[in-house]
């Protein structure tokens, strides 16, 4: 696995294809975009709201709901997390409620699982997808905007994820056919316990 960053423009994450249950809608080849200097095709292009502090927010629909705001977070080990308040408004059924520890929020938090859902994320459709349900109120206060859920690590392990900070788009590519030919620098990543790690050295003056 590696991350490729161009000096100016989009960030491209190149990761291994992982397992999952999803359906990929048919693409009209004439409408697919090309990313110079390569000639590969997009599997999907997802509009994003990229904030000044680097947060990346996407619109998602749960069981055909109105668009809801989800933040893209490679540090979230669950494919999807839904805020408990949003889950109640959608009248989602939950089960297996338990207490967990860790994360950047409270030391202990309550989490439950949903029954299988249909989740639409741009052109992607996840059918029979379960999600964790937790309160995201403390994170919502920190970011200063509504937060209905989180899109987690699963997206990064299925696709080459291209984050374009200039056009505010997330473009997904097939890792089996993708070849990067830009001038970016490659950094090796290690995936361990649902988190990415990179080797680094700190040199003190």
């Amino acid at each position: 696995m590696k991350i490729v960053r161009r000096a100016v423009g989009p960030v491209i994450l190149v990761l291994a294809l992982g397992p999952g249950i999803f359906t990929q809608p048919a693409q009209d080849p004439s409408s697919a975009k090309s990313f110079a200097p390569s000639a590969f095709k997009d599997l999907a292009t997802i509009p994003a709201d990229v904030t000044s502090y680097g947060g990346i927010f996407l619109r998602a629909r749960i069981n055909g709901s109105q668009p809801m705001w989800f933040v893209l977070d490679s540090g979230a080990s669950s494919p999807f997390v839904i805020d408990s308040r949003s889950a109640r408004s959608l009248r989602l059924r939950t089960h297996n409620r338990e207490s967990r520890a860790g994360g950047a929020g409270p030391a202990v938090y309550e989490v439950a699982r949903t029954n299988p859902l249909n989740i639409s994320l741009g052109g992607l459709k996840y059918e029979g997808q379960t999600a964790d349900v937790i309160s995201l109120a403390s994170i919502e206060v920190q970011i200063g905007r509504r937060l209905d859920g989180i899109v987690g690590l699963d997206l990064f392990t299925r696709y080459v994820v291209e984050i374009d900070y200039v056009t505010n788009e997330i473009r997904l590519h097939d890792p089996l056919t993708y070849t990067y030919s830009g001038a970016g620098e490659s950094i090796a990543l290690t995936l361990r316990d649902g988190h990415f790690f990179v080797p680094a050295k700190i040199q003190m003056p």
Side-chain angles (χ1 to χ4, degrees):
M1 290 187 276
K2 62 180 180 178
I3 178 170
V4 181
R5 183 173 189 126
R6 302 175 71 199
V8 178
V11 173
I12 302 176
L13 303 180
V14 183
L15 304 174
L17 184 67
I21 302 173
F22 71 105
T23 59
Q24 179 65 47
Q27 281 273 23
D28 179 0
S30 64
S31 65
K33 297 180 181 178
S34 295
F35 175 66
S38 300
F40 55 79
K41 301 296 185 181
D42 299 347
L43 290 176
T45 298
I46 304 173
D49 182 7
V50 182
T51 66
S52 59
Y53 54 84
I56 301 171
F57 293 85
L58 311 174
R59 288 290 209 174
R61 295 177 186 266
I62 309 297
N63 292 340
S65 70
Q66 293 297 314
M68 309 176 78
W69 283 113
F70 279 58
V71 68
L72 183 62
D73 183 3
S74 63
S77 56
S78 298
F80 292 93
V81 175
I82 301 175
D83 176 58
S84 54
R85 176 192 54 190
S86 301
R88 287 193 296 270
S89 69
L90 293 171
R91 298 182 179 179
L92 302 182
R93 295 182 179 181
T94 59
H95 54 86
N96 294 351
R97 184 175 299 275
E98 61 180 349
S99 297
R100 294 182 186 173
V108 178
Y109 59 94
E110 298 294 321
V111 60
R113 296 286 287 175
T114 66
N115 287 340
L117 309 169
N118 293 331
I119 302 177
S120 298
L121 184 66
L124 297 179
K125 296 184 184 299
Y126 291 76
E127 298 180 352
Q129 176 69 57
T130 59
D132 285 344
V133 176
I134 65 175
S135 174
L136 300 176
S138 60
I139 301 177
E140 189 175 79
V141 171
Q142 295 176 30
I143 64 177
R145 60 182 290 171
R146 182 177 178 84
L147 181 60
D148 296 299
I150 298 172
V151 179
L153 178 67
D154 183 70
L155 194 72
F156 294 88
T157 57
R158 291 189 189 202
Y159 306 103
V160 175
V161 180
E162 177 188 347
I163 304 173
D164 194 327
Y165 289 88
V166 177
T167 62
N168 284 344
E169 289 180 330
I170 305 296
R171 290 188 282 272
L172 306 179
H173 310 285
D174 184 351
L176 298 180
T177 58
Y178 174 86
T179 300
Y180 179 72
S181 58
E185 180 181 354
S186 298
I187 302 174
L189 296 178
T190 299
L191 180 60
R192 185 171 69 247
D193 298 328
H195 298 283
F196 292 121
F197 294 85
V198 296
K201 293 182 179 180
I202 300 176
Q203 183 174 350
M204 301 297 291

